[in-house]
Amino acid sequence: MSVPTYDVVIVGAGIVGAACAAECAAEGLRVLVVEAEMVGGGATAAGMGHIVVMDDSEAQFELTLYSQRLWEELAEELPPSVEYDRCGTIWVAATEDEMRQAERKGKFYAERGVAVELLDARELREAEPRLRRDLWGGLRVPGDGVIYPPAAAHFLLSKARAHRTELIVGRAVIEATLGGEVRLQDGSNISSGIVINCAGSSSPKLTPQIKVQKRKGHLVITDRYAGFVRHQLVELGYLESAHAASSDSVAFNVQPRRTGQLLIGSSRQYGAEDARVDQGVLARMLNRAFAFMPGLADLSAIRVWTGFRAATPDNLPLIGPYAEGARLYLATGHEGLGITTSLGTAKLIVAQIMGRTPPISSEPFLPIRFMQESAHV
Amino acid sequence: MYETAHACDVLVIGGGPAGLAAASHAARCGRRVIIVDDNPRWGGQIWRRGSGEDESPQATSLFDEVRRAGVKFIGGAHVFNQLQDGSLLAEAADGVHRFSYEKLILATGARERFLPFPGWTLPNVMGAGGLQALVKSGLSIRRRRVVVAGSGPLLLAVAAHLRKRGAEVLLIAEQAPRARVLRFGLRLIEWPEKLLHLMRLQRYLFNVPYLTGCWPVMAHGRRKLERVTLKRGARLWEVACDYLACGFHLVPNAELAQLLGCETVDGAVWVDELQRTSRPEIYCAGEATGVGGVELALIEGQIAGCAAAGREDEARRLFAARQRARRFASALNAAFDLREELRELATEETIVCRCEDVRLGQLREFDSWRAAKLQTRCGMGPCQGRVCGAALEFLFGWRVTSIRPPLFPVQLRNLAYDPSSEAERVERG
Ligand SMILES: Cc1cc2nc3c(=O)[nH]c(=O)nc-3n(C[C@H](O)[C@H](O)[C@H](O)COP(=O)(O)OP(=O)(O)OC[C@H]3O[C@@H](n4cnc5c(N)ncnc54)[C@H](O)[C@@H]3O)c2cc1C
Ligand SMILES: Cc1cc2nc3c(=O)[nH]c(=O)nc-3n(C[C@H](O)[C@H](O)[C@H](O)COP(=O)(O)OP(=O)(O)OC[C@H]3O[C@@H](n4cnc5c(N)ncnc54)[C@H](O)[C@@H]3O)c2cc1C
């Protein structure tokens, strides 16, 4: 067999592919990125860009926290176009029950070294005067932030390119073998030491064995209303919404942009392949937002769009070799957290490629966890 | 929130010449017809009524026909989204209106094309049609010095209108070369009604220099426009003025059609001989199918109206007249084709996207509208590329893709229109 042209070929230049490219290139690896459409134009262009620590599971907590800190470290290098803003998150409690939940969540974060601040009803009103006045309180996580994801993907890729990473845009990979071969749309073949499938919600097209499903989301952007909202606001019921595996769900989720605009989310739908805006879901999502922040109803909206999250059965991404010893790697299945966890994902991948001890446990994310399962059926 | 539901056989979007003609023809064939327009009154760009002074006999008789045919007109309602096939949503002062239809006729017209040049964002540098509209709605232009510049016959119409209202029109700068304009002028004999129209305009343009092969290269002023630099051949000179009314011909309003999934060709809505779009229940007429003037808009509207009402035979009888109007349209578009030099007007520092303050130099590294938009925010503001899109198409050959709702900024409460709650309301009512 001939010597591979590249050490690593990355399929997909979303934020995950871009982060992996930057990290591999920094190791001195010869990297090629192949992007079918355009840099950062997939889910990365549709996502909210909330950099958030989440406690759905210990593994998710560890990966999101590690990644959030990587964004902080990177902050100085980020160009203004990335609009990094450490605005913090407030998890909003609408009921007494949710207030208890906020306390538990706060304790969980604090025990693991994350700064948090519990807000009572009055403090919440002071922090976010536009919220409905009869809410119970909330939990502030000041370390969380917001970025503009397409610009971040562009930046990460230019970092990679400064280390001579090559980029092909406008040609799709149609096959990626376990042995490290990729075939492009135009029929050309490229051999590589390792191939990483970073194709987001399209990743199962290249690697059909993996359990990644599309999960549709809607977002609305408003005109500019500087200061209307100060933190990213998420209802505590959000995780419930993220878990509702069978039915469509919506949650109150509002983000202040550097531009003064507000980004309003969020919805989750399985089995919806059509990218068009679903008026019924949009209406539910907005009415949910009005219930928390009535003043939103008077603002002007300029665009609505949809995007597809790449969801896995256990809500954790797939990061690592497809199977023991395979030269095909996966970095996909990040569902609603891929902007945040792109940086952590890239570190884990590089540690695996270089045979180093990973910075956090990579076990929970190994694709093998599903492969074994399916081998048993 | 107040919601109103309307149902009809034929829904017409746009109450300009094309929409009015379409509506009256469909209604005469016995269909229940509604026209929706975002302006409070019908008439479109050319017969927009306010003062009544512009009402040509042609317009008056069409207005009468529409009234007699029993067409319902809903003004002040902006169509912003589709609810599902066969149903559109519009925003009006009193909330959301929902329109259900069997057949849809899009007659959404055209808008002006702006080209960026240094200083074009200064106050009082305006769209030619835009300034005309402002004057129609009350802006006083008496004794103001105006330079009208750009391309196309619209410049003459605007200049004549402004002069009638007491403006001091200093000159008209037409970018098209003299030879092309002359050839076009000579051909006008084929369309006597156009020639007549031109002669009527000329009464008002007596003594106003019409400079062909001439265009603005820079607008100057501290807080607002004070002077404009013009170029003609090798000559560059400055003209002091209060307003620069600028428009580089027109571009079709194809966004609603695109949102509904209709094919476009070169930015205009594609239609077959019966004015049917690629979606069989949707028709399109007037400047949205390509810029061609009011006669073509009228005849296309008539054909679309008949065809949508199922009267193909009647529609076919109008094909010859449309052919004649189309010949005029292609002569027009060839004559006023934009010259290469206009691509060089903007410098790296010139703002291209006014909503988001994006400069030309920021766009050079990208190879498509969407890539540039994602990385620079160009076209991401409230106008969603309606202004800069046509300029970028001319400068880089990029097309605005991915049209998303709302077509125009709307209040969130209206965007949150809930189809299921409305169904309940209708049942109870
Ligand atoms: C509505 C919504 C809100 C979200 N909000 C947040 C948030 O607030 N915070 C957060 O952290 N995450 C959020 N996410 C999730 C986040 O957007 C995604 O997890 C992340 O963008 C995934 O990045 P990616 O690079 O894996 O995928 P993508 O960005 O989809 O990139 C995949 C790329 O691969 C290319 N590709 C696909 N197939 C091929 C092929 N065969 N050959 C070559 N190239 C190919 C595609 O063109 C694409 O560019 C949200 C997602 C949605 C939909
Ligand atoms: C700014 C401007 C000024 C002009 N001035 C003159 C002139 O002085 N003399 C002259 O001879 N020709 C003029 N024209 C050209 C003239 O308008 C056309 O030749 C002809 O009238 C086109 O008719 P139409 O029916 O296709 O479109 P239009 O007359 O443009 O009518 C389209 C109508 O649809 C409405 N509309 C569009 N989208 C929506 C929506 N989503 N929801 C609701 N309503 C919608 C618009 O507001 C408009 O009223 C002008 C054109 C423009 C763009």
Side-chain angles (χ1 to χ4, degrees), chain A residues 38 41 45 148 150-151 154 223-224 259 261 264 275 277 279 283 286 290 296-304 306, chain B residues 81 83 356 365 368 370-371 373-375 377 380-382 384 402 404-406 409-413 415-418:
Chain A
M38 68 183 62
Y148 176 59
H154 187 77
D223 208 337
R224 300 180 182 218
T259 53
Q261 294 171 287
I264 305 174
V277 170
Q279 185 67 32
L286 287 174
F290 303 160
L296 285 176
D298 298 324
L299 308 187
S300 175
I302 63 177
R303 194 172 170 92
V304 185
T306 62
Chain B
N81 197 8
L83 181 55
E356 299 291 330
E365 64 174 294
S368 73
R370 188 159 179 260
K373 173 180 157 178
L374 277 180
Q375 298 301 337
R377 305 189 51 83
M380 274 199 184
Q384 290 285 297
S402 98
R404 295 284 201 162
V410 296
Q411 262 199 347
L412 278 164
R413 76 171 76 255
L415 191 63
Y417 173 84
D418 185 349

Side-chain angles (χ1 to χ4, degrees), chain A residues 110-131:
Chain A
E111 281 169 3
R112 286 158 185 77
V114 179
V116 289
E117 199 182 331
L118 207 59
L119 308 176
D120 63 19
R122 192 184 49 84
E123 290 161 335
L124 179 64
R125 279 204 297 274
E126 270 164 25
E128 292 291 345
R130 304 280 184 170
L131 280 170

